[in-house]
Amino acid sequence: MKLLGKYVDKGMQGNVTLMPEESEDMWHAYNLIAEGDSVRSTTIRKVQNETATGSSTSSRVRTTLTIAVETIDFDTQACVLRLKGRNIEENPYVKMGAYHTLDLELNRKFELRKPEWDTIALERIEMACDPTQSADVAAVVMQEGLAHVCLITASMTLVRSKIEVSIPRKRKGSVQQHEKGLAKFYEQVMQSILRHVNFDVVKCVLIASPGFVRDQFHDYMFQQAVKMDYKLLLDNKSKFMLVHASSGFKHSLKEVLQDPAVVAKMSDTKAAGEVKALEQFYMMLQCEPAKAFYGKKHVLRAAESQAIEMLLISDNLFRCQDVNLRKEYVTLVESVRDAGGEVKIFSSMHISGEQLAQLTGVAALLRFPMPELEDSDDDDDEDGAAGGDDSDSD
């Protein structure tokens, strides 16, 4: 998604201008636009013209309209977002208050104005417009003296850093200079990984090279990590995967990404964090039910006690038509974060999101047991069902 303009004032009012560039962007737009927002974009309108003789002709004209959104329909097959609403700005072809349907398509810019922007909507824009936010695979292609550190998103590969270091050749009877040069090179590559790889997002780091360069670098990096106490590297050691590449040039990445072992690893990365969180929740529900709850009422009560360690919430709930209900869920997310908890927003288009929807769309893992919530189960059965209705109301 390309951000063409953004103005949001301190009162959280304002507008953004966006251009969807790939199919995933249309999904982001669907999650951003709510009923009651106004959207401005170009459209085709059929116009009737009456001639002097009384006969009428119709023609199609391209014009720019601003509508107050009343209904939203997302056609996932055609990748088109259809917004129906009344025209709210003067236009030579469309009367004020007349209904019109705007089709938002790829590479067609639109301006979105909301009565109030909340943190979830602003985060969605940041995630859609910053490819590094969705890059869940990183790769280092290297050979002696040359390395490229890349981030791989669903649609593109971004080279974040190119490292070139002149390494002296091995001399007969003296390999000291050669080893010094290698150590300097490996150090620069390691620092580049620390600087450019966001381990909160990245699920897999590929290290690819010809020969034994990757193994030597991997050994060096984790020796240094132990020596210098680089917790970030030590905590994420399992994410590194060593694979063969013909050279340290960027084009070698193509063969790396076609490696069956890499394909299998990468297919597990998308939404793997959400799947793991859901597994943790089910396990806790079986082993320590007083530390795992779902349903709006239970989760809100746990949040009031600052007990939530991890909140699992479906993006479906932020698309509810009731503005106050959406605000309630936004406040819940903010309060969990403020109390130092982690928030996982599940995509309802993913299998893990569908599973969460069956649990009313909102669940929580707690820092400490709250058996008093279990005791109130009977009273809250109806509320649990209400939570389920929220997630299906769209």
Side-chain angles (χ1 to χ4, degrees):
M1 185 91 81
K2 194 178 276 184
L3 181 63
L4 302 175
K6 179 181 172 188
Y7 173 72
V8 179
D9 61 23
K10 285 179 182 174
M12 299 303 272
Q13 290 182 324
N15 58 68
V16 295
T17 306
L18 299 161
M19 187 189 287
E21 296 178 304
E22 55 188 80
S23 51
E24 206 170 312
D25 294 341
M26 298 307 295
W27 174 246
H28 287 308
Y30 175 54
N31 279 286
L32 271 172
I33 300 168
E35 290 170 25
D37 295 349
S38 63
V39 174
R40 179 180 174 83
S41 185
T42 57
T43 186
I44 302 290
R45 180 80 175 186
K46 196 175 179 182
V47 177
Q48 296 280 350
N49 295 313
E50 201 168 302
T51 62
T53 57
S55 62
S56 65
T57 59
S58 66
S59 59
R60 292 164 71 81
V61 294
R62 182 171 285 280
T63 184
T64 301
L65 279 186
T66 306
I67 64 164
V69 179
E70 289 185 19
T71 59
I72 304 161
D73 176 43
F74 183 32
D75 184 340
T76 51
Q77 297 300 313
C79 205
V80 173
L81 198 55
R82 294 190 177 91
L83 311 173
K84 187 181 178 185
R86 292 179 186 273
N87 178 36
I88 56 169
E89 282 187 9
E90 290 290 345
N91 186 283
Y93 306 109
V94 186
K95 290 177 184 172
M96 289 281 282
Y99 273 107
H100 185 82
T101 301
L102 280 181
D103 283 355
L104 298 188
E105 298 173 345
L106 293 179
N107 301 309
R108 181 180 292 179
K109 70 173 183 178
F110 67 93
E111 182 187 287
L112 171 63
R113 183 180 292 275
K114 285 182 173 289
E116 185 184 348
W117 287 87
D118 56 45
T119 51
I120 298 293
L122 293 171
E123 269 176 30
R124 173 72 67 172
I125 289 175
E126 197 177 307
M127 184 170 73
C129 298
D130 179 2
T132 63
Q133 294 280 327
S134 60
D136 58 3
V137 178
V140 182
V141 277
M142 63 195 304
Q143 62 190 53
E144 278 198 7
L146 174 70
H148 288 83
V149 177
C150 312
L151 293 177
I152 302 162
T153 72
S155 59
M156 65 183 102
T157 301
L158 306 159
V159 176
R160 302 313 275 176
S161 176
K162 180 183 178 183
I163 297 126
E164 282 184 285
V165 173
S166 177
I167 298 172
R169 288 185 176 187
K170 287 182 182 176
R171 302 259 178 228
K172 207 170 186 183
S174 171
V175 291
Q176 210 173 354
Q177 292 303 106
H178 175 77
E179 285 177 353
K180 260 189 187 174
L182 265 183
K184 182 184 174 188
F185 171 58
Y186 290 159
E187 181 65 28
Q188 287 188 24
V189 176
M190 180 180 72
Q191 292 302 331
S192 183
I193 290 172
L194 287 167
R195 191 160 50 248
H196 296 293
V197 176
N198 179 357
F199 285 100
D200 290 339
V201 178
V202 168
K203 314 284 194 310
C204 171
V205 184
L206 305 171
I207 298 178
S209 78
F212 296 103
V213 177
R214 57 186 178 274
D215 303 277
Q216 290 165 0
F217 168 67
H218 187 264
D219 292 345
Y220 171 88
M221 179 165 59
F222 284 101
Q223 281 168 12
Q224 288 297 107
V226 171
K227 192 173 159 185
M228 307 299 290
D229 195 27
Y230 290 139
K231 274 189 72 64
L232 194 63
L233 289 176
L234 296 170
D235 291 349
N236 291 284
K237 190 174 182 178
S238 61
K239 292 183 181 179
F240 286 84
M241 183 179 181
L242 307 183
V243 287
H244 171 78
S246 55
S247 75
F249 292 94
K250 187 194 163 189
H251 62 76
S252 299
L253 203 53
K254 191 178 177 185
E255 70 194 60
V256 171
L257 297 178
Q258 287 168 344
D259 183 315
V262 173
V263 171
K265 179 92 172 173
M266 283 177 65
S267 65
D268 293 342
T269 60
K270 216 66 182 149
E274 284 80 354
V275 173
K276 196 175 173 187
L278 205 57
E279 281 173 8
Q280 277 179 270
F281 177 79
Y282 282 128
M283 199 172 284
M284 188 71 81
L285 203 57
Q286 284 181 323
C287 305
E288 282 188 84
K291 283 176 74 179
F293 290 93
Y294 64 92
K296 188 176 133 197
K297 192 159 188 176
H298 283 128
V299 172
L300 285 175
R301 283 179 61 187
E304 282 168 19
S305 305
Q306 296 191 346
I308 298 179
E309 187 171 2
M310 188 190 291
L311 175 71
L312 285 55
I313 188 163
S314 170
D315 60 11
N316 228 6
L317 299 181
F318 301 112
R319 287 199 301 275
C320 59
Q321 294 165 13
D322 184 334
V323 178
N324 291 326
L325 193 57
R326 180 189 161 99
K327 276 186 181 172
E328 212 172 345
Y329 287 123
V330 171
T331 306
L332 170 64
V333 168
E334 289 173 347
S335 70
V336 169
R337 283 180 179 157
D338 289 346
E342 188 182 351
V343 176
K344 297 263 186 202
I345 297 177
F346 284 61
S347 168
S348 53
M349 291 282 272
H350 193 272
I351 188 76
S352 58
E354 289 172 16
Q355 285 178 289
L356 184 62
Q358 289 167 7
L359 296 173
T360 75
V362 61
L365 285 157
L366 308 192
R367 293 190 174 97
F368 48 83
M370 289 187 73
E372 64 271 27
L373 290 186
E374 278 189 297
D375 299 338
S376 64
D377 260 356
D378 297 336
D379 306 332
D380 293 342
D381 274 347
E382 290 174 29
D383 293 290
D389 288 345
D390 292 342
S391 65
D392 298 331
S393 63
D394 311 312

